[in-house]
């Protein structure tokens, strides 16, 4: 056993070794991985089941409503359920969200196979499944903070994030195979099983319960905390705009492939597949760099992503897409772990759950809103122009962030020096 432990230490970076040495953290990782895989499958299954349920003339509208219902109600749940959920520990939030998801995704295929599922019921059930999603994300993020030492949080978030990125490489192709063989309802049944497994695993993690119930944190207090910490407010604003500017890419890239590259779906698969591979590597690498200056790193990631996607818009070749989006995934993936770690460094411990849920509620809107804006942008500028605009604007966002960061640090430095000057002047007088 000791020999195996020594081998693990030699194979894994030190930060990951310490994370996995924590029994609570280690026990919950398979649950995260399997549930992420279920989500990756549902990325395809939710939309494809909507296609089957809708009339041909209404398919685009129904698919849009289904995709929105699968994510956007999380914001409503975050903003309305804080009175009951903000005082709970991380494990119980993960468990509650997993049980709800498992129950709803069991009900949807059951109704479908009994020929009792219509479009309205389907969208309503998808909306119900996502009500606790922001709290589940908050629980997952806070679990890392509750379980690991401060210096290991970045590695912990990166390890969890890399599993999420990996699931979006494996999940969609697997969903395609399952859907072709058994239908899209079976894909959602698979997601139900994945969340049931997460619920069972999280229920068995007893040590994480040592962080007991906290006093509930009202939404107003979270807003006041953000107002007292301009860095947290600035981080939330930066992340929202960054994700908003990413949204049009999800619309523009498929249209670009369809219109400019011969409509070969294999090319689209290669582009997003290399993005996913780069993202897994980027997230894992981020966890090994414990001494990163987090604010400069976050801004560098924003600028790097914007620059990485520009060659595809300029040259429009498969090689440019593979290289650009592979590099882009490598750059983009560390952003989540880095910014979550920065939030947890600055936020009061008793408010980590409520602030994480509030953050998730705001950010869950950003990419869908950007994608909604992507449609008119592609119509006006073309897919290449939309990708170019997104990239350049993202680089501009990073430049604005650098200027603001320098101004804040200059003002803070002057504020620290001012009282010293005042005392010296009083002494001379």
């Amino acid at each position: 056993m000791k020999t195996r432990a020594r081998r693990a230490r030699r194979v894994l970076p030190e930060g990951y070794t310490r994370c996995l040495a924590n029994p609570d953290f280690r026990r919950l990782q398979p649950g995260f991985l399997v549930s992420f895989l279920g989500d990756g499958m549902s990325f395809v299954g939710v939309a494809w089941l909507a296609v089957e349920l809708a009339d041909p003339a209404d398919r685009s509208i129904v698919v849009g409503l289904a995709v929105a219902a699968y994510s956007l109600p999380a914001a409503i749940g975050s903003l309305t359920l804080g009175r009951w959920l903000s005082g709970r520990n991380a494990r119980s939030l993960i468990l509650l969200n997993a049980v709800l998801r498992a129950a709803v995704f069991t009900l949807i295929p059951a109704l479908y196979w009994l020929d009792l599922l219509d479009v309205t019921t389907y969208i309503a059930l998808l909306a119900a499944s996502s009500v606790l999603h922001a709290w589940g994300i908050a629980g997952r993020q806070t679990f890392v903070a509750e379980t690991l030492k401060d210096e290991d949080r970045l590695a912990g978030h990166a390890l969890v994030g890399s599993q999420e990125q990996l699931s979006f490489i494996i999940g969609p192709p697997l969903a395609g195979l399952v859907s072709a063989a058994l239908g899209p309802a079976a894909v959602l049944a698979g997601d139900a099983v994945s969340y049931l497994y997460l619920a069972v695993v999280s229920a068995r993690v007893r040590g994480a319960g040592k962080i007991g119930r906290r006093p509930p944190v009202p939404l107003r207090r979270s807003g006041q905390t953000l107002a007292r910490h301009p860095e947290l407010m600035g981080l939330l604003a930066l992340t929202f705009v960054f994700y908003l500017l990413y949204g049009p890419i999800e619309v523009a890239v498929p249209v670009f492939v369809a219109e400019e590259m011969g409509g070969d779906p294999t090319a689209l698969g290669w582009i997003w597949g290399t993005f996913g591979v780069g993202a897994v590597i980027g997230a894992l690498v981020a966890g090994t760099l414990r001494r990163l200056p987090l604010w400069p790193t976050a801004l560098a990631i924003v600028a790097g992503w914007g620059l990485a996607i520009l060659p595809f818009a300029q040259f429009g070749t498969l090689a440019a897409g593979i290289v650009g989006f592979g590099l882009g995934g490598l750059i983009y993936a560390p952003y989540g772990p880095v910014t979550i770690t920065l939030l947890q460094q600055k936020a009061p411990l008793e408010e980590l759950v409520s602030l994480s849920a509030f953050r998730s509620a705001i950010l869950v809107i950003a990419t869908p809103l950007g994608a909604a804006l992507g449609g008119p942008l592609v119509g006006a500028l073309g897919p290449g122009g939309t990708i170019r605009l997104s990239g350049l604007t993202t680089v501009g966002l990073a430049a604005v962030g650098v200027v603001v960061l320098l101004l804040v640090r200059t003002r803070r430095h002057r504020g620290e020096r001012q009282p010293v000057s005042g005392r010296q002047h009083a002494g001379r007088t």
Side-chain angles (χ1 to χ4, degrees):
M1 292 294 291
K2 291 182 178 179
T3 303
R4 290 181 182 176
R6 291 193 193 100
R7 287 176 182 169
R9 290 190 191 99
R10 284 197 290 266
V11 171
L12 291 174
E14 183 182 355
Y16 291 139
T17 301
R18 287 197 304 271
C19 290
L20 294 174
N22 184 292
D24 292 332
F25 184 85
R26 184 176 64 251
R27 288 187 191 116
L28 204 45
Q29 298 317 298
F32 287 152
L33 178 60
V34 171
S35 68
F36 286 147
L37 181 61
D39 283 341
M41 294 174 64
S42 287
F43 185 73
V44 172
V46 165
W48 204 248
L49 185 56
V51 169
E52 288 205 355
L53 290 172
D55 294 329
D58 299 328
R59 278 178 178 167
S60 61
I61 296 174
V62 172
V63 171
L65 288 172
V67 171
Y70 184 55
S71 58
L72 293 183
I76 300 172
S78 174
L79 299 177
T80 58
L81 299 177
R83 178 180 177 184
W84 297 276
L85 297 179
S86 61
R88 290 185 172 273
N89 63 33
R91 184 184 67 88
S92 64
L93 292 174
I94 296 169
L95 180 59
L96 286 171
N97 180 56
V99 169
L100 177 62
R101 287 267 192 173
V104 174
F105 285 135
T106 298
L107 182 59
I108 288 173
L111 291 175
Y112 177 79
W113 289 324
L114 293 171
D115 202 23
L116 298 175
L117 187 67
D118 57 24
V119 166
T120 302
T121 305
Y122 180 52
I123 292 173
L125 288 172
L126 287 175
S129 76
S130 68
V131 167
L132 298 182
H133 186 53
W135 291 103
I137 294 173
R140 189 171 72 230
Q141 294 170 357
T142 308
F143 173 79
V144 175
E146 290 182 353
T147 308
L148 302 178
K149 296 179 180 178
D150 291 355
E151 62 267 23
D152 295 329
R153 285 179 180 176
L154 179 58
H157 289 304
L159 190 58
V160 175
S162 66
Q163 295 177 67
E164 186 172 18
Q165 298 295 342
L166 180 64
S167 74
F168 283 98
I169 300 174
I170 301 172
L174 181 59
L177 294 174
V178 172
S179 184
L182 303 172
V187 175
L188 299 191
D191 199 8
V193 173
S194 77
Y195 271 100
L196 180 61
Y197 177 71
L198 175 60
V200 171
V201 171
S202 59
R204 296 176 63 188
V205 177
R206 298 298 180 188
K210 63 182 179 288
I211 307 292
R213 286 187 64 93
R214 305 179 179 92
V217 179
L219 180 63
R220 182 180 67 258
R221 182 175 167 187
S222 297
Q224 291 170 347
T225 299
L226 289 172
R228 289 196 310 270
H229 295 79
E231 276 193 292
L232 295 182
M233 183 71 80
L235 181 65
L236 183 61
L238 173 72
T239 306
F240 180 85
V241 178
F242 182 33
Y243 289 1
L244 179 74
L245 294 174
Y246 165 80
I249 297 299
E250 294 191 348
V251 178
V253 171
V255 176
F256 192 96
V257 171
E259 295 183 356
E260 307 291 338
M261 300 177 65
D264 182 4
T266 305
L268 184 62
W270 276 107
I271 290 170
W272 284 122
T274 53
F275 172 86
V277 172
V280 171
I281 297 171
L284 287 172
V285 170
T288 68
L289 305 173
R290 289 192 298 129
R291 292 181 175 83
L292 286 176
L294 294 181
W295 259 110
T297 301
L299 292 170
I301 291 170
V302 173
W305 164 256
L307 292 171
I309 62 176
L310 290 176
F312 183 55
Q314 179 66 33
F315 300 107
T317 63
L318 179 59
I322 289 174
V323 173
F325 277 78
L327 180 61
L330 187 72
I331 295 169
Y332 185 94
Y335 187 84
V338 166
T339 53
I340 293 165
T341 302
L342 185 56
L343 170 71
Q344 293 181 344
Q345 283 183 351
K346 303 294 182 181
L349 180 61
E350 67 275 10
E351 296 185 43
L352 281 182
V353 167
S354 58
L355 284 173
S356 294
F358 185 82
R359 173 186 183 273
S360 299
I362 299 299
L363 298 184
V364 78
I365 302 170
T367 298
L369 180 59
L373 295 173
L377 284 174
V378 170
L381 303 175
T386 301
I387 296 170
R388 188 176 295 109
L389 177 64
S390 176
L392 291 174
T393 308
T394 301
V395 174
L397 172 65
V400 171
V402 169
V403 171
V404 172
L405 182 62
L406 290 175
L407 289 174
V408 168
R409 290 186 173 179
T410 300
R411 182 176 298 178
R412 182 183 299 163
H413 183 63
R414 289 175 180 173
E416 290 172 352
R417 293 179 57 189
Q418 189 65 37
V420 176
S421 301
R423 286 195 297 270
Q424 288 174 347
H425 179 73
R428 291 191 193 102
T429 302

